[in-house]
Amino acid sequence: MSRIAHTDYLRLLEPWVKPFREFCYTPPARRDLLCYGTGYNGWGMQTHQKAFAALAVMAADPQTDSSRTGVEGAELLDMALRMLRFTLESHLEGGYHCEDGTSWGHTWISVLGVERMMHGVEAIGEHLTPEDRELLRRVLVSECDWLMDHYEVEGHPLNGSGRNKPESNLWNGCMLHRAAALYPDAPRAQEYKEKGSRFLVNSISVASDVLSTAVLDGKPVSEWFVGDNFLEESYALNHHGYLNVGYMVICLSNAAMLHFSLKRLGVTPPEALYHHVRELWDTVKPMLFPDGRLIRIGGDTRVRYCYCQDYLLPSLMLAADLFADEDCPGLEAGWLGQVQAEMAANGDGSYLSARCADLIRVSPLYYTRLESDRAVSLSYGAYWRRLFDGLPAGRQEEGDRPVVPCAWSDAYHGACLVKGERRIASWTWRAAEGPQGLCLPADGSDLAEWRYNLAGRIQGTGAYNYYQTLSHDHHTFDGGFVTWGKTLACSEELLAEQQSRDELAVTQAAFAALPDDRTVVSLQYAKTVNRSYIASVRGLLLQVPNDVFNGSRRAYRYGEAEAVLEGAGSAGKQLIDTESCWLNVDERIGVVQAYGVGPLVLNRPGRRQIGIKHRHQSDTLGMLYADEICSPLWETLRAVPPDTVLVDTGFMVLAGCSTEETRELAREGGSTAVPITAMVAEIEAPAGSEEVPDNALRAVAVKGADGHCYLLAANFGGEPAYGAVARLPDTAELRELATGQEIEQRGGVFTLELAPGEARLFLAAASRA
């Protein structure tokens, strides 16, 4: 990879000045002020503050090209100063107000925007007047005093308590230490440091900290400890109610902001700032594609590849500086390439105007917030890489470093991740819009979509449809995992009075990543609970993004046919019946169906359908286009009796697989249903078994890339069962991968013991090893 420089960031900031100005506003009563976006309190102020910082960094950089910004340097500086003054004057300490008539400040989140903008203040610091400096001091001290007197440090690992506050503890602790460093003569400066360290220790905190004797800032961690916010061992973060990889990054980004500010000042950072930062970075790094995009195995409730993705940039620079991580500059460069590609597609200097065209009309506040997130994240690179010559810039030689195989799991979220040289596979039950799984080439970031992916989706007549997780479990083994669980498909926000929620169907899934670095196998089963009106059913549901990041063009091959399809921007909805049990995407992903009610269907939505998770707009306000590979698929309203099976399918997905490989696997029976006879019995007493009339056992045999045969079996019934499996040619025994248990063939049958809902994955062996 080539070396990265601060000008790489600057070149992506300069064209943004023109669309930025379209959202600027000068208050008639204060012509000396300038605001960006709505100018309202809350996120409106934070949006403004981030835009100010980006403008300030450009104004202070002698290499900013005015022919690209369309603004001379003096005017750019004037605009930045007027924006800073709007921030300060609209605070409770100032003499003006926000454009909604309120004054901002004194909340748990009010210093976040300040933290994110302070490098901009540093950049133009020499141009501040004595009045600017005095009001800045009053604002920061006022915020710190409020944190001291009115806001307590809290922590809890699960978001349901309302006390899971890792990122806010971090930015509030950073502000207290920042103010103490900037104003050591402030009357409460020492108090700021004390409580600041308490906030920081209780940010990336885990349960064992309560006993830790490690000394940070003069005290054992156990004395600082209030509560854990991350889950022990896995360092998973349950935030906003799901496994939130994005907010793991947000924590790192806020640590970066104080780290580099104190480095500029020559002030020794508080030791608490780096509490568990290394452990969190080591967790986050495997959750990155080689091009710097996040592998959000728990999904995302917001616009794809925005916000948390943007704040990965300061996190990468922190890891490069703090841990001398040689991979970080390449990850930075990879993400800058994605930003540049989308800007080129927009054609107007903006970052998101094409993908978020509908969002602009619905919420200018939300749109400008996202634009300013990208701008400010780029400004960190433009400023820090100019300021700190010693910040690693990458290696001169071309070529990416090889993928380092890794595995990770978390019991609470039912999350598993395995990453090899060829494949990334994951599954998460407690996800943003889940459950959801992935099976992608190791470099396949443009193929990733999270929402119910590979889990199917059932929707009713309500405006808000979701899955409620009822149970889940998993086993891991070297190179793979197997997971199983049960969810309830629900529909809310129904139009009729006295109809609050429909419980549509119980859905079950088994999902296994084989230890072959190529294959995942899945079984899906869904049955209605009551008589329900079902609006749509999607089984399998492999979503293939087809938008700006891949040039809005995908090649699909199936049977004897080929279809090269335009994505975002193409007109009209389209359903393509492939009449095939196999399909290949771009010579990179294969799908082979083992059983089901019909062939694979390629659903073309005709609009960007992947958007934010919102009770009223999750399916109507889209910002990313994705094709959908389904089986079955129906989208006409049906009244369905209780106990009706809606989905009953088994399939394999192959990462890094060519069309020819996919076709041959399908032809040679590389993914086939295996008859399995269910027996009801107490687990301890197989002799008393009786045959089950309604057989809810399913099994498939698949051929792995390693040449071995594997069997995935699941019990989708409500009782413990024994399953009699026959027709496994050349198989003398089955060996369970998770436990090592060996099952021998007796009388031509393998007898499998399965608890309700349980799935087990076996290696079919010709003889005892």
Side-chain angles (χ1 to χ4, degrees):
M1 68 183 178
S2 58
R3 294 173 65 82
I4 190 166
H6 91 277
T7 51
D8 295 322
Y9 288 90
L10 198 60
R11 298 292 90 88
L12 296 175
L13 281 167
E14 292 162 339
W16 184 68
V17 175
K18 181 179 178 180
F20 154 85
R21 297 186 76 179
E22 294 175 5
F23 287 92
C24 285
Y25 174 75
T26 298
R30 290 293 301 268
R31 306 297 297 180
D32 59 324
L33 308 180
L34 180 69
C35 76
Y36 171 75
T38 63
Y40 293 174
N41 204 337
W43 278 113
M45 175 50 61
Q46 304 239 357
T47 293
H48 166 84
Q49 290 165 330
K50 293 176 292 180
F52 149 73
L55 214 67
V57 166
M58 284 187 278
D61 196 320
Q63 296 190 56
T64 297
D65 187 343
S66 61
S67 70
R68 289 170 58 83
T69 63
V71 178
E72 293 298 326
E75 184 181 356
L76 204 61
L77 176 60
D78 179 67
M79 292 167 65
L81 288 168
R82 290 167 63 203
M83 292 181 73
L84 176 59
R85 288 163 189 155
F86 180 84
T87 295
L88 301 177
E89 291 287 355
S90 58
H91 187 264
L92 293 165
E93 291 290 327
Y96 187 56
H97 52 74
C98 300
E99 292 306 306
D100 57 2
T102 66
S103 297
W104 70 276
H106 294 182
T107 71
W108 66 277
I109 199 172
S110 53
V111 304
L112 172 59
V114 180
E115 277 292 296
R116 287 175 172 167
M117 80 170 192
M118 284 304 293
H119 67 295
V121 176
E122 296 169 9
I124 60 169
E126 63 182 312
H127 301 286
L128 302 188
T129 66
E131 292 78 15
D132 294 332
R133 296 177 187 279
E134 176 55 30
L135 184 51
L136 175 65
R137 176 180 174 128
R138 292 210 318 268
V139 168
L140 297 190
V141 168
S142 173
E143 287 296 313
C144 288
D145 286 346
W146 185 85
L147 288 172
M148 294 297 301
D149 299 332
H150 299 284
Y151 191 66
E152 294 303 316
V153 180
E154 293 185 282
H156 195 281
L158 304 181
N159 196 53
S161 68
R163 295 185 287 113
N164 180 250
K165 300 180 178 180
E167 88 289 21
S168 58
N169 281 352
L170 211 153
W171 69 57
N172 286 321
C174 285
M175 175 51 66
L176 290 169
H177 274 286
R178 181 184 298 277
L182 290 173
Y183 312 120
D185 59 334
R188 303 180 72 178
Q190 191 56 41
E191 294 179 61
Y192 294 167
K193 292 181 180 180
E194 178 83 8
K195 190 166 185 177
S197 290
R198 188 170 299 278
F199 270 119
L200 294 177
V201 169
N202 291 281
S203 174
I204 310 172
S205 53
V206 293
S208 61
D209 287 344
V210 71
L211 301 175
S212 175
T213 58
V215 176
L216 299 177
D217 299 329
K219 288 184 182 180
V221 167
S222 59
E223 292 186 24
W224 291 118
F225 183 77
V226 173
D228 47 321
N229 282 303
F230 283 73
L231 294 169
E232 190 80 50
E233 296 181 358
S234 69
Y235 277 84
L237 176 61
N238 182 267
H239 202 57
H240 293 165
Y242 67 96
L243 174 59
N244 203 325
V245 173
Y247 273 77
M248 293 157 73
V249 170
I250 293 296
C251 291
L252 294 171
S253 76
N254 276 98
M257 293 166 204
L258 185 62
H259 169 85
F260 285 109
S261 282
L262 296 183
K263 184 172 184 172
R264 186 190 71 88
L265 289 172
V267 173
T268 301
E271 296 169 326
L273 177 63
Y274 306 114
H275 182 54
H276 292 319
V277 164
R278 183 64 200 237
E279 292 92 331
L280 182 55
W281 169 245
D282 288 344
T283 302
V284 166
K285 186 179 178 182
M287 298 177 183
L288 302 176
F289 288 103
D291 64 5
R293 264 196 280 196
L294 287 171
I295 309 172
R296 295 198 65 145
I297 65 171
D300 191 1
T301 58
R302 298 174 180 173
V303 180
R304 299 301 188 259
Y305 307 120
C306 294
Y307 189 50
C308 298
Q309 175 67 66
D310 288 319
Y311 289 99
L312 179 65
L313 286 174
S315 306
L316 292 172
M317 284 177 270
L318 174 69
D321 194 44
L322 197 59
F323 308 129
D325 193 316
E326 296 182 353
D327 296 322
C328 290
L331 294 167
E332 287 178 64
W335 176 241
L336 294 190
Q338 303 294 328
V339 172
Q340 185 177 28
E342 186 159 15
M343 290 183 77
N346 295 333
D348 60 0
S350 72
Y351 299 121
L352 301 163
S353 63
R355 273 203 297 142
C356 294
D358 291 337
L359 184 62
I360 298 173
R361 292 188 289 270
V362 174
S363 178
L365 171 55
Y366 207 135
Y367 174 74
T368 52
R369 172 185 170 185
L370 295 178
E371 286 277 311
S372 66
D373 281 324
R374 183 142 301 171
V376 78
S377 69
L378 294 169
S379 73
Y380 296 124
Y383 184 60
W384 293 340
R385 285 202 168 275
R386 177 169 70 92
L387 200 64
F388 304 112
D389 292 336
L391 197 60
R395 301 175 302 279
Q396 292 283 9
E397 67 270 16
E398 294 294 326
D400 295 327
R401 301 185 75 174
V403 174
V404 177
C406 67
W408 179 89
S409 63
D410 176 69
Y412 176 77
H413 296 97
C416 299
L417 167 68
V418 61
K419 188 175 179 181
E421 294 183 3
R422 182 175 185 177
R423 177 198 63 186
I424 292 168
S426 71
W427 184 272
T428 301
W429 288 99
R430 297 184 186 272
E433 295 170 293
Q436 57 193 40
L438 292 176
C439 180
L440 302 170
D443 62 350
S445 71
D446 64 298
L447 289 160
E449 174 46 40
W450 334 106
R451 187 172 69 161
Y452 305 106
N453 194 59
L454 293 179
R457 193 179 187 196
I458 298 167
Q459 294 175 274
T461 57
Y464 180 53
N465 294 272
Y466 63 96
Y467 281 11
Q468 176 185 335
T469 300
L470 301 177
S471 63
H472 61 81
D473 205 347
H474 69 264
H475 292 307
T476 62
F477 46 85
D478 188 22
F481 62 85
V482 58
T483 184
W484 60 93
K486 182 185 297 186
T487 63
L488 182 64
C490 303
S491 188
E492 293 187 1
E493 303 292 338
L494 296 117
L495 184 61
E497 296 180 10
Q498 299 184 349
Q499 188 181 17
S500 60
R501 180 171 104 150
D502 280 352
E503 295 183 350
L504 306 175
V506 171
T507 71
Q508 298 183 76
F511 188 92
L514 303 188
D516 68 346
D517 200 25
R518 182 191 69 178
T519 311
V520 301
V521 188
S522 185
L523 312 176
Q524 296 176 356
Y525 188 80
K527 182 186 286 189
T528 53
V529 178
N530 307 301
R531 180 175 187 262
S532 297
Y533 284 90
I534 307 293
S536 68
V537 172
R538 290 169 170 81
L540 199 155
L541 191 55
L542 172 61
Q543 296 174 101
V544 183
N546 196 356
D547 211 308
V548 61
F549 297 113
N550 65 286
S552 294
R553 187 179 178 87
R554 294 288 186 198
Y556 297 96
R557 295 172 176 84
Y558 44 86
E560 302 302 320
E562 177 180 353
V564 179
L565 302 175
E566 300 293 329
S570 60
K573 181 176 172 59
Q574 183 183 15
L575 292 178
I576 300 174
D577 184 349
T578 68
E579 301 181 350
S580 173
C581 68
W582 68 271
L583 179 146
N584 187 275
V585 185
D586 282 346
E587 302 290 329
R588 302 176 72 196
I589 293 181
V591 181
V592 180
Q593 189 175 29
Y595 65 89
V597 297
L600 300 175
V601 177
L602 186 54
N603 181 34
R604 310 260 298 140
R607 62 178 178 87
R608 286 184 164 106
Q609 85 276 32
I610 306 296
I612 60 175
K613 183 181 180 181
H614 191 280
R615 293 185 71 88
H616 300 290
Q617 293 179 321
S618 61
D619 291 300
T620 59
L621 183 62
M623 295 92 174
L624 188 75
Y625 188 106
D627 298 322
E628 299 173 347
I629 301 165
C630 304
S631 180
L633 170 70
W634 46 271
E635 298 179 293
T636 54
L637 184 65
R638 301 183 187 180
V640 183
D643 297 320
T644 299
V645 175
L646 299 176
V647 178
D648 188 3
T649 188
F651 56 91
M652 65 194 300
V653 181
L654 313 156
C657 192
S658 70
T659 295
E660 188 56 34
E661 288 177 288
T662 310
R663 180 188 292 114
E664 286 306 306
L665 273 169
R667 284 178 177 173
E668 295 173 2
S671 178
T672 58
V674 173
I676 178 169
T677 304
M679 310 293 288
V680 171
E682 293 295 329
I683 289 298
E684 296 82 4
S689 300
E690 296 180 358
E691 189 169 343
V692 179
D694 181 17
N695 187 0
L697 295 191
R698 298 292 182 272
V700 295
V702 299
K703 182 179 180 182
D706 52 10
H708 294 301
C709 180
Y710 296 87
L711 179 77
L712 176 64
N715 176 11
F716 293 132
E719 300 292 335
Y722 283 83
V725 175
R727 301 186 192 174
L728 287 179
D730 304 319
T731 300
E733 67 177 18
L734 296 175
R735 184 181 309 115
E736 187 173 17
L737 272 71
T739 64
Q741 179 187 4
E742 296 177 352
I743 299 174
E744 295 182 353
Q745 185 176 182
R746 295 181 180 177
V749 172
F750 295 97
T751 302
L752 310 181
E753 183 180 295
L754 292 161
E758 183 185 24
R760 298 175 69 183
L761 180 66
F762 299 90
L763 172 67
S767 60
R768 186 181 300 272

